[in-house]
Amino acid sequence: MASLLDTAQPDDLDPTAGGQTPEPVTADCAPGGLMEPAARTDVLNRLKRAEGQLRGIQRMVERGEDCLKVAQQFSAVRRALDSTYVRMTVCLLEQEIGARLSPETALATGLPEIIGELEAMLSRRG
């Protein structure tokens, strides 16, 4: 099922990326939310990556690695979870708006662009 908004989403950071810009991905949320296989797969993949990063941090702590290196990995996993949270927020908006407006009405009012701008703004936050 087509989404009201089909834009690139920021992906999680790889734990070895060293703060590089993540690769964009596309997720299809409206109108079924996480009932849509693409949206569910996207969120699950993001969570699995974050879980892997957390396990890596646990191993680093167990080995007594340098605090700076551990802190850098904490930062990476936090950004990955923040990215997933932004994706879920946009998914919720698409789902709720999709349930109330026809795709033609949403396109005519510029809604996909507004949601895209909101997502970009949320992705830049702190």
Side-chain angles (χ1 to χ4, degrees), residues 3 7-9 25 34 36 53-55 57-58 62-63 74 81 83 85 90 94 96 98 102 124:
S3 173
T7 60
Q9 306 303 314
V25 296
L34 291 179
E36 298 289 337
Q53 289 174 315
L54 285 171
R55 288 182 196 277
I57 292 170
Q58 288 172 340
E62 288 168 353
R63 291 187 303 254
F74 268 113
L81 290 172
S83 171
Y85 177 77
V90 171
E94 289 179 302
E96 293 302 312
S102 71
R124 286 191 299 266

Side-chain angles (χ1 to χ4, degrees), residues 44-121:
L44 284 173
N45 286 341
R46 290 168 180 263
L47 292 173
K48 288 175 185 178
R49 271 187 231 114
E51 179 183 25
Q53 289 174 315
L54 285 171
R55 288 182 196 277
I57 292 170
Q58 288 172 340
R59 286 189 299 271
M60 291 174 77
V61 170
E62 288 168 353
R63 291 187 303 254
E65 291 196 26
D66 180 65
C67 289
L68 178 59
K69 290 179 182 177
V70 173
Q72 289 169 338
Q73 294 307 307
F74 268 113
S75 179
V77 75
R78 181 177 168 193
R79 284 190 303 269
L81 290 172
D82 285 347
S83 171
T84 305
Y85 177 77
V86 168
R87 183 66 228 142
M88 286 302 306
T89 300
V90 171
C91 185
L92 172 64
L93 286 171
E94 289 179 302
Q95 179 180 318
E96 293 302 312
I97 292 169
R100 290 165 176 75
L101 295 177
S102 71
E104 296 79 23
T105 302
L107 288 173
T109 61
L111 195 57
E113 292 81 14
I114 293 168
I115 290 177
E117 290 172 12
L118 176 63
E119 183 170 13
M121 182 193 70

